[in-house]
Amino acid sequence: MIATQAVSKSYGSTQALQALTLTVEPGEVLGLLGPNGAGKTTTIHLLAGFLKPDSGSVVIDGVDVVKNPDEARSRLGYIPENVALYPFLSAMENLQHFSSLAGLKIPRDEMARKLVHCGLAPEAIHRRVSTFSKGMRQKVGIAIATSKNARALILDEPASGLDPHASHELSMLVRKVADEGAAVLMATHDLFRAKESCDRVVIVQGGKLVQEIDPASLSANDLEAIYLKQMESGS
Amino acid sequence: MIIKLLLMELRSIRSDGRLLALVALALATLILSTWIGAESQRSAKTGREAAMEISRQQWEAIDGLSAHGVGHYGSYVYKPSSPLSTLDSGVMPFTGKVVRVEAHVQNPPSHSDAGSWSSLIRLGAFDAGTILSLLVPLLLAFSAFSSVSRDRETGLLRVLVAQGVSLRSILWGKSLAYWFLSLLLVGALMVSHVVIDQLSGEPLTTDIKTRLLLFGSSHSLYLLIVVLLSVWISARVADSRSALMILTIGWLVTSVVLPRITAEFSSQLFPLKSQVTFEDEMAEDRSKGLDGHNPRDERRNVVRQEVLEEYGVEKVSDLPVNLGGILMQKDEEYGNQVWDVHFGRRHETVRKQIGVVQAVSFLDPFLAARGLSMAFAGTDQFHDAQFQRQAENYRRDLIRILNDLDAKAGTRQENGRWSREKIDYATLSDFEFEPQSVDFALGHRWPEALSLLIWVIFSAGLLQIGTGRIPIVGGSR
């Protein structure tokens, strides 16, 4: 489970989050929608323990992130908007290194399958990632995050830079991870992908949760209309 | 975990051609400086041996001079180079290498390299000790300034932390990787020194090996401090640019500004008399007596009376010895006391000046590293003072032997005049410098060693317990 309880965070005089409460149950995918500066990335960084909240609590799989960040991170997979990798290593070597840092021992053929499963072309597996496009690096990052088989997965604009096909595959992958029992929180701008893969969608603005939506009951156009209406009323 | 991160950082360094080029340049510079040092040492040794041979030939050719005359004729002693001066020339280029030994006078060492208008005056010393303590830290700071901040800026730090890697492990992995580079440089330098020494046939005694090991260890510890602080600053400050600025200013202050201010401050606090004043005061004390109430003539009359009483005669012409030789030896002994007092004061002043530098070394580890580097190379002020003491002891022994010969090698003639025997001066031995053991260096430089250890503990402590305020996320939210 992923949970934030009345979490607030400010940067100097700027209030990034105001008493934000979210819960993502195991097997559920929650989409976090909002404009730039709404507090999506701050929420993700708080959940990953990169930042400490000013008040409130953040819990991953029952572990308080502030009190036990290392333990919480061991139960967490994280995919940033721009996946940074070691440019002088191949995709396989990057996956190997990051997996070993997480204490995982994955056979090489399984790692290769994982990379292909995450959308990387087989011929790219042994290429240096310095030659990769942003989308290709993103796929390696997804492989790294999901190889942990974490109880919680948080994604910060994961489809950024992915082509439509890879973006669709990512949605399927996220869905699969959730179906296997993980709680997934995905910050995104992409309403279509949110509808495709999320069980629930929350809209945040000015650091506050302004609306919760069941995307299954709406068309993509309806979802967009609701989102735009919220943005207009908030601006 | 740390080993994996260390190996990855080394691969990262290896993939950066510019960094590799800098390391290769530093390595080449270090080996080149050692080779140049060995060549100058070989050249100095050849020159010293030739000068010693000429002095010996001149000494052996003395004919027809009385022992007292030979005392005035004098001789020269030559300071041998410390075997490790090829690594750190310390204060030796600025101190004299030759002492003229003669009766009645304690001459200061002369013929320094700096005094001979060498390139030293224009460019300063080019030795491994200077490169390791001055340039390599700068190279390390330039290499490590972005080690963490760059990863934060690219987002790699977040990916690493999200994988469950602690910040402490990341910082240690990076630090140890850069320290490994430093150890490579220090190790290569030590090996090249041993090889060059062996090729030139220099003996590698246990003391030299110990000194070499301590020389390398002290520099390695200093470089560890530099690396730990560089990585910590890279982690602690907001961005790479700020880290580079802080490290550059830090290097400038600790390696250039503070050492000079400290040297100036110590000189102001404990001023050293000029050589002219030193010699004038010695001459005055020798002439008037140390307390100013015991002039030379009075002392001579007292000695004359004592000798007459000792031999139970009333006139000098009845003495079975040459009173002149005895008087000169007594005068020498008095002059020796004067020198001991003045040289002791001078040495004490230098010791106090060094004490100030040693105290400041607890604020500035560069000073600790420099002090230890010179001490283990056997080229600091303490080692130089030992040469002066040994040269003076040799002079005292030589003049005492000559005065004894002047007093006793001869016979009293019937007319009361003293007839001297012909003396073979070739039998008198040459000066042999007794090098100081490494214990001598440690005994004088323990404050710097302690300072370095405290700095290692402090900087390691920063990495170990000071990661709480290190930002994982950069400017983005």
Side-chain angles (χ1 to χ4, degrees):
Chain A
M1 191 180 75
I2 299 169
T4 66
Q5 180 64 43
V7 167
S8 294
K9 177 73 185 174
S10 59
Y11 302 101
S13 59
T14 308
Q15 188 79 31
L17 287 183
Q18 297 179 55
L20 183 73
T21 297
L22 292 173
T23 305
V24 189
E25 296 295 338
E28 185 185 25
V29 180
L30 176 71
L32 197 59
L33 287 180
N36 292 333
K40 300 190 299 295
T41 299
T42 296
T43 307
I44 297 281
H45 287 169
L46 287 167
L47 286 167
F50 301 154
L51 295 173
K52 287 192 177 113
D54 299 335
S55 61
S57 67
V58 184
V59 176
I60 297 287
D61 195 31
V63 178
D64 190 306
V65 177
V66 178
K67 289 178 185 160
N68 293 303
D70 292 341
E71 177 60 29
R73 283 184 200 121
S74 71
R75 298 165 187 230
L76 181 80
Y78 164 68
I79 302 169
E81 183 180 355
N82 293 299
V83 172
L85 301 165
Y86 291 101
F88 49 86
L89 297 184
S90 68
M92 172 69 98
E93 287 169 331
N94 266 293
L95 179 55
Q96 207 166 19
H97 177 62
F98 283 108
S99 300
S100 75
L101 289 178
L104 304 171
K105 287 180 183 168
I106 307 171
R108 282 177 67 83
D109 54 346
E110 194 181 320
M111 279 194 279
R113 273 201 301 276
K114 185 93 193 168
L115 287 164
V116 173
H117 184 64
C118 290
L120 199 69
E123 60 272 20
I125 287 173
H126 297 290
R127 259 174 49 201
R128 282 185 166 211
V129 299
S130 58
T131 62
F132 280 16
S133 66
K134 185 184 173 191
M136 289 167 83
R137 285 203 308 275
Q138 210 69 7
K139 289 167 186 172
V140 179
I142 293 163
I144 290 168
T146 54
S147 65
K148 279 175 83 176
N149 294 321
R151 305 284 302 144
L153 185 66
I154 54 175
L155 306 92
D156 190 2
E157 308 284 357
S160 166
L162 294 185
D163 56 59
H165 177 67
S167 190
H168 172 70
E169 280 183 340
L170 173 68
S171 295
M172 296 300 104
L173 190 67
V174 165
R175 194 61 262 168
K176 186 168 173 280
V177 169
D179 291 345
E180 286 167 1
V184 180
L185 185 143
M186 182 168 70
T188 183
H189 283 118
D190 190 336
L191 299 171
F192 184 76
R193 293 295 160 220
K195 174 168 170 42
E196 189 177 49
S197 51
C198 297
D199 298 305
R200 278 189 300 138
V201 168
V202 292
I203 299 173
V204 287
Q205 192 170 22
K208 287 189 284 195
L209 195 156
V210 293
Q211 188 166 1
E212 186 171 328
I213 305 161
D214 174 10
S217 62
L218 300 168
S219 67
N221 287 342
D222 292 341
L223 183 60
E224 187 177 24
I226 293 170
Y227 177 75
L228 290 175
K229 189 179 168 194
Q230 280 295 346
M231 295 304 104
E232 280 166 16
S233 62
S235 59
Chain B
M1 177 82 80
I2 291 174
I3 299 291
K4 286 176 190 167
L5 292 163
L6 182 158
L7 294 174
M8 190 51 66
E9 193 65 23
L10 284 175
R11 286 187 75 169
S12 175
I13 291 168
R14 197 183 67 180
S15 72
D16 187 342
R18 290 166 303 178
L19 199 53
L20 268 192
L22 274 177
V23 172
L25 182 68
L27 186 61
T29 310
L30 281 169
I31 294 174
L32 181 68
S33 73
T34 308
W35 179 75
I36 289 173
E39 276 302 298
S40 354
Q41 193 180 65
R42 191 186 56 74
S43 159
K45 187 181 176 188
T46 308
R48 188 173 62 250
E49 285 172 353
M52 284 167 69
E53 182 56 30
I54 291 168
S55 295
R56 169 52 52 181
Q57 284 170 4
Q58 287 174 339
W59 187 259
E60 288 175 359
I62 293 171
D63 191 24
L65 277 179
S66 67
H68 180 64
V70 170
H72 279 289
Y73 182 79
S75 181
Y76 293 91
V77 300
Y78 301 89
K79 179 163 65 181
S81 304
S82 158
L84 294 183
S85 63
T86 50
L87 294 179
D88 194 328
S89 54
V91 301
M92 295 308 171
F94 306 96
T95 57
K97 296 189 289 188
V98 183
V99 175
R100 174 169 161 72
V101 289
E102 59 180 316
H104 309 306
V105 186
Q106 284 101 341
N107 292 302
S110 59
H111 295 84
S112 67
D113 288 340
S116 60
W117 294 91
S118 67
S119 59
L120 190 74
I121 284 182
R122 298 187 301 277
L123 304 169
F126 177 70
D127 56 43
T130 309
I131 295 167
L132 278 178
S133 55
L134 203 62
L135 296 183
V136 173
L138 192 62
L139 164 75
L140 287 173
F142 280 158
S143 309
F145 79 94
S146 63
S147 55
V148 182
S149 53
R150 181 195 54 223
D151 286 356
R152 182 166 48 232
E153 284 152 10
T154 60
L156 186 61
L157 192 62
R158 272 178 281 157
V159 179
L160 283 168
V161 171
Q163 285 302 96
V165 184
S166 69
L167 270 177
R168 189 179 297 143
S169 301
I170 294 170
L171 264 55
W172 274 111
K174 288 178 182 291
S175 299
L176 293 178
Y178 285 101
W179 193 44
F180 179 77
L181 284 187
S182 314
L183 292 181
L184 273 185
L185 292 176
V186 175
L189 171 74
M190 289 165 71
V191 170
S192 67
H193 175 80
V194 170
V195 170
I196 289 169
D197 258 20
Q198 292 297 297
L199 288 176
S200 57
E202 292 292 330
L204 198 62
T205 63
T206 306
D207 194 72
I208 295 173
K209 281 183 207 163
T210 312
R211 279 176 176 273
L212 185 61
L213 196 64
L214 288 170
F215 176 87
S217 303
S218 61
H219 278 291
S220 300
L221 283 183
Y222 177 58
L223 296 175
L224 175 62
I225 294 165
V226 171
V227 161
L228 290 173
L229 291 178
S230 299
V231 169
W232 191 78
I233 287 169
S234 175
R236 186 68 187 80
V237 300
D239 54 79
S240 300
R241 200 173 154 185
S242 307
L244 180 61
M245 195 185 295
I246 289 171
L247 287 171
T248 308
I249 292 171
W251 175 85
L252 202 64
V253 169
T254 56
S255 306
V256 180
V257 179
L258 196 54
R260 274 150 186 79
I261 290 175
T262 306
E264 193 59 36
F265 176 66
S266 65
S267 304
Q268 295 289 330
L269 203 59
F270 301 108
L272 201 59
K273 287 172 181 164
S274 70
Q275 184 64 30
V276 174
T277 310
F278 177 73
E279 287 172 15
D280 285 351
E281 288 183 355
M282 276 223 305
E284 192 177 2
D285 280 351
R286 192 161 183 165
S287 165
K288 291 183 180 173
L290 279 169
D291 56 4
H293 301 291
N294 194 17
R296 178 178 283 191
D297 284 347
E298 281 181 31
R299 290 199 309 271
R300 289 171 73 98
N301 287 336
V302 170
V303 172
R304 181 174 174 273
Q305 199 53 45
E306 283 173 358
V307 174
L308 290 174
E309 283 173 14
E310 184 187 342
Y311 285 96
V313 295
E314 292 190 352
K315 290 187 296 185
V316 171
S317 56
D318 293 336
L319 280 172
V321 292
N322 179 18
L323 180 64
I326 293 171
L327 282 172
M328 278 185 287
Q329 182 52 30
K330 290 290 180 187
D331 186 60
E332 276 298 332
E333 285 166 12
Y334 187 77
N336 294 345
Q337 286 179 41
V338 172
W339 189 88
D340 285 342
V341 168
H342 284 267
F343 185 79
R345 279 184 200 150
R346 194 169 218 213
H347 185 65
E348 184 59 18
T349 305
V350 171
R351 202 193 59 73
K352 283 177 179 169
Q353 288 185 351
I354 295 173
V356 172
V357 178
Q358 288 178 325
V360 179
S361 78
F362 285 92
L363 296 174
D364 183 356
F366 169 81
L367 289 171
R370 286 302 301 139
L372 288 173
S373 178
M374 289 190 289
F376 293 137
T379 56
D380 64 353
Q381 291 101 321
F382 293 118
H383 283 81
D384 185 58
Q386 283 305 307
F387 165 71
Q388 288 193 52
R389 282 191 195 284
Q390 289 188 28
E392 170 58 13
N393 288 341
Y394 172 75
R395 190 196 72 81
R396 289 178 187 185
D397 287 344
L398 180 70
I399 301 303
R400 183 180 46 74
I401 291 167
L402 291 171
N403 283 335
D404 273 359
L405 288 170
D406 202 50
K408 293 171 185 167
T411 50
R412 179 71 63 190
Q413 290 180 322
E414 298 228 340
N415 60 6
R417 291 179 68 103
W418 183 259
S419 169
R420 292 181 172 90
E421 286 174 12
K422 186 174 170 60
I423 299 165
D424 180 11
Y425 297 109
T427 57
L428 295 174
S429 58
D430 287 332
F431 171 72
E432 277 189 32
F433 181 70
E434 187 67 38
Q436 301 303 306
S437 75
V438 70
D439 294 342
F440 175 85
L442 282 169
H444 283 91
R445 294 293 183 170
W446 65 264
E448 280 102 327
L450 182 64
S451 156
L452 221 50
L453 286 176
I454 289 173
W455 270 97
V456 168
I457 292 167
F458 168 74
S459 38
L462 275 180
L463 259 66
Q464 198 62 22
I465 58 175
T467 52
R469 292 172 63 87
I470 289 175
I472 299 168
V473 182
S476 69
R477 293 172 192 172

